[in-house]
Amino acid sequence: MAQEYDLVILGGGTGGYVAAIRASQLGLKTAIVEKGKLGGTCLHKGCIPSKALLRSAEVYSTAKKSEEFGVTTGEVGLNFLKVQERKDKIVEQLHNGVQFLMKKGKIDVYQGLGRILGPSIFSPMPGTISVEMNSGEENEMLIPKNVIIATGSRPRSLPGLEIDGQKVLTSDEALQMTELPKSIIIVGGGVIGIEWASMLADFGVEVTVIEYADRILPTEDKEISKEMQRLLKKRGVTFVTSAKVLPETLEKTDKARISAEVKNEVQAYEAEKILVSVGRMANTEGIGLQNTEIQTEKGYIQTNSFYQTKESHIYAIGDVIGGLQLAHVASHEGITAVEHIAGKNPAPIDYTTISKCIYSSPEAASVGLTEEEAKEKGFKIKTGKFAFKVIGKALVYGESDGFVKIIANEENDDLLGVHMIGPHVTDMISEAGLAKVLDATPWEIGHTIHPHPTLSEAIGEAAQAVDGLAIHS
Ligand SMILES: Cc1cc2nc3c(=O)[nH]c(=O)nc-3n(C[C@H](O)[C@H](O)[C@H](O)COP(=O)(O)OP(=O)(O)OC[C@H]3O[C@@H](n4cnc5c(N)ncnc54)[C@H](O)[C@@H]3O)c2cc1C
């Protein structure tokens, strides 16, 4: 028998399950349709497992230099199966937590493949959802007043570069490796590629990153990508930039060989494995979009600022709509969509206040415009920069590379962007996010007394440096 709901969410990833919780808090009868596992990419193939591996890599590399801290250990070894076991345990614990939250919120979860069918009985618009149940039981039919599409994304490859899961991997397969390769070529020096480069270098793998753009992390501030490349190079990572990988040259023997066109010359590279990290594509196939008026552009679902598609009762959020493909973005888009459905008049998300983080070693984090973007937009800017090498807490940690950079509008002191590279900056960037939300000026950030000794002093000093008033430089 068909089940009726106020809201059915297609996809139980970070965007979908968070939207469901807010919907239940607002009294909406809600169901989630999930073909895989609740928690989606972030929990099972993204944020959490990759950060668990990064943390093991960090502990391994810290243990190897423990003498610097006056701590003597025996020979430091690496048990990669244990590393994977720890990662899986963390994922399982969080997965149990999400399942508990669904029960607590009385959210019905249908394990199966959801598809938008046709008109719902409540309106002449498309909306009915059929669920092909994973259990093989008869299809369930759900009749919602509203739908949120939160089907996420999956890794892309280069045309002609086939992912075989053995020699040529994406992050999906790399997360499941049971042993480390001796060497790896990483195609793509974006966020995911750089996190893997840093982690694998710490684990002792010989890493070569091949990037199409003229610098790694091409969407970050130029000074941040330059510093990241310099610091990773010091740790043994090889970078090849302005390089076009030629998929047709792939040869697989006991190793994988591939060539790239680098400044008009073809160069060959060889490693045990190739990790392809060239971006992601939206999961829009097979979900019944053809039964609706929903529009896509470059594969991504188009919405207004409350995430309504062309069918006003069908919303779309998260990776499937493109933009900033981040877990915290997906969940806040989900919350905004649900509050709109519930008539709560939410404010549209201001994407210039969203923090972006890179969890490599060193970490990097940013909010707002890069210096290049600010100039392109015609702002007259002033900048303040402060290095961690003079911050006491950074020296105490033994991690004093990197800096904080603040960009402000010279004409009215508006904060335009904050960029950081160095220890624990992913935990510090929220101060800059809050400053953007509250429309604080660099003077106000600098006037906020940052406790001593903390890494956050670098933010206060960088803010004061915008007007040439940093104390310790
Ligand atoms: C290696 C890696 C590391 C990352 N690290 C970070 C990070 O540190 N921080 C960060 O913010 N972001 C990170 N991300 C990005 C983050 O994972 C995504 O932005 C986030 O998961 C998007 O959430 P979503 O809900 O839109 O989609 P997803 O999490 O992809 O969830 C979509 C869900 O929909 C389900 N689904 C799809 N189609 C159907 C269907 N027809 N019927 C039923 N179910 C369906 C899928 O099974 C999936 O569970 C990382 C991504 C990767 C790959």
Side-chain angles (χ1 to χ4, degrees):
M1 205 187 75
Q3 302 288 328
E4 293 175 17
Y5 288 96
D6 295 320
L7 173 64
V8 172
I9 300 170
L10 218 52
T14 320
Y17 89 72
V18 169
I21 293 172
R22 178 52 53 90
S24 132
Q25 289 167 340
L26 296 177
L28 301 180
K29 188 177 176 206
T30 304
I32 283 188
V33 183
E34 171 54 56
K35 66 176 179 163
K37 287 184 172 174
L38 285 173
T41 304
C42 175
L43 180 50
H44 301 281
K45 297 175 180 172
C47 329
I48 299 298
S50 62
K51 267 84 252 181
L53 296 186
L54 275 156
R55 174 71 180 136
S56 287
E58 186 190 7
V59 171
Y60 181 51
S61 97
T62 306
K64 283 199 289 186
K65 56 181 186 197
S66 68
E67 288 271 352
E68 275 176 34
F69 295 81
V71 178
T72 317
T73 61
E75 200 189 331
V76 177
L78 182 68
N79 179 344
F80 193 64
L81 284 178
K82 258 263 157 69
V83 169
Q84 287 285 29
E85 237 175 75
R86 177 177 183 273
K87 173 207 81 181
D88 292 340
K89 234 167 128 178
I90 294 167
V91 170
E92 193 190 334
Q93 186 177 339
L94 292 172
H95 184 220
N96 289 339
V98 177
Q99 287 172 303
F100 165 76
L101 289 173
M102 295 301 101
K103 282 203 184 98
K104 184 176 162 217
K106 300 195 171 43
I107 296 154
D108 290 342
V109 178
Y110 292 87
Q111 287 288 167
L113 185 87
R115 193 174 288 123
I116 300 169
L117 281 189
S120 101
I121 55 164
F122 294 108
S123 74
M125 296 179 288
T128 303
I129 289 190
S130 94
V131 188
E132 201 179 307
M133 299 296 286
N134 290 351
S135 61
E137 288 164 70
E138 203 180 313
N139 283 8
E140 288 278 359
M141 217 49 96
L142 312 181
I143 303 175
K145 288 185 190 154
N146 297 281
V147 176
I148 295 180
I149 301 173
T151 47
S153 66
R154 61 183 185 280
R156 222 160 45 81
S157 185
L158 294 174
L161 188 56
E162 194 201 330
I163 306 298
D164 63 15
Q166 298 296 319
K167 288 262 175 266
V168 186
L169 324 173
T170 67
S171 56
D172 282 5
E173 293 80 27
L175 281 168
Q176 301 307 327
M177 286 188 302
T178 47
E179 56 185 307
L180 286 165
K182 286 198 171 50
S183 56
I184 196 158
I185 294 166
I186 300 182
V187 179
V191 176
I192 293 177
I194 291 306
E195 286 186 356
W196 277 93
S198 168
M199 173 214 303
L200 292 171
D202 274 349
F203 279 141
V205 178
E206 196 184 300
V207 180
T208 304
V209 176
I210 307 183
E211 165 58 46
Y212 181 75
D214 61 359
R215 60 184 171 110
I216 59 163
L217 303 175
T219 56
E220 296 301 317
D221 190 274
K222 234 182 199 163
E223 285 191 83
I224 298 285
S225 23
K226 207 170 144 201
E227 181 71 347
M228 182 68 84
Q229 181 160 337
R230 187 182 75 81
L231 293 172
L232 287 179
K233 210 170 150 193
K234 248 172 67 180
R235 297 222 318 275
V237 178
T238 303
F239 290 97
V240 189
T241 51
S242 305
K244 186 177 172 197
V245 167
L246 305 167
E248 66 278 12
T249 61
L250 175 69
E251 275 176 51
K252 291 185 274 188
T253 52
D254 55 325
K255 295 225 168 140
R257 285 193 192 89
I258 199 156
S259 298
E261 200 183 305
V262 191
K263 294 171 194 121
N264 297 326
E265 265 182 43
V266 174
Q267 291 182 10
Y269 302 90
E270 184 180 87
E272 273 188 21
K273 289 192 193 293
I274 297 178
L275 171 62
V276 183
S277 54
V278 293
R280 302 193 45 98
M281 56 204 280
N283 292 328
T284 50
E285 298 82 3
I287 59 172
L289 292 189
Q290 72 282 4
N291 303 325
T292 71
E293 298 294 319
I294 292 174
Q295 292 179 345
T296 59
E297 202 183 308
K298 292 189 180 150
Y300 293 105
I301 295 179
Q302 300 298 292
T303 70
N304 65 17
S305 48
F306 298 107
Y307 309 106
Q308 282 172 298
T309 65
K310 278 276 167 207
E311 306 278 1
S312 60
H313 72 308
I314 304 183
Y315 292 65
I317 58 148
D319 279 13
V320 78
I321 64 169
L324 285 178
Q325 292 184 307
L326 295 169
H328 45 292
V329 174
S331 53
H332 280 268
E333 288 172 349
I335 289 170
T336 305
V338 167
E339 293 186 347
H340 193 257
I341 288 167
K344 294 280 172 206
N345 197 20
I349 292 176
D350 175 359
Y351 286 86
T352 68
T353 65
I354 292 174
S355 305
K356 299 184 289 173
C357 298
I358 305 168
Y359 299 83
S360 46
S361 175
E363 295 184 342
S366 64
V367 64
L369 300 177
T370 63
E371 184 170 338
E372 300 73 49
E373 286 166 344
K375 284 180 178 161
E376 263 166 39
K377 285 183 185 288
F379 289 112
K380 240 178 131 193
I381 62 162
K382 50 183 180 177
T383 62
K385 209 170 141 187
F386 198 83
F388 281 108
K389 65 175 182 238
V390 277
I391 294 290
K393 186 71 171 280
L395 295 174
V396 168
Y397 270 134
E399 292 174 44
S400 53
D401 285 320
F403 55 84
V404 174
K405 172 176 173 180
I406 295 187
I407 305 164
N409 185 336
E410 199 182 305
E411 278 157 8
N412 59 10
D413 275 335
D414 271 359
L415 184 62
L416 297 174
V418 179
H419 305 270
M420 308 180 182
I421 179 165
H424 300 280
V425 296
T426 61
D427 290 312
M428 293 205 295
I429 194 69
S430 297
E431 177 181 349
L434 182 65
K436 281 286 286 170
V437 169
L438 298 179
D439 211 9
T441 62
W443 183 88
E444 285 165 318
I445 299 173
H447 191 67
T448 306
I449 299 173
H450 291 79
H452 177 76
T454 63
L455 296 169
S456 72
E457 287 175 275
I459 302 176
E461 291 265 24
Q464 296 186 78
V466 169
D467 292 313
L469 294 173
I471 297 296
H472 294 94
S473 67

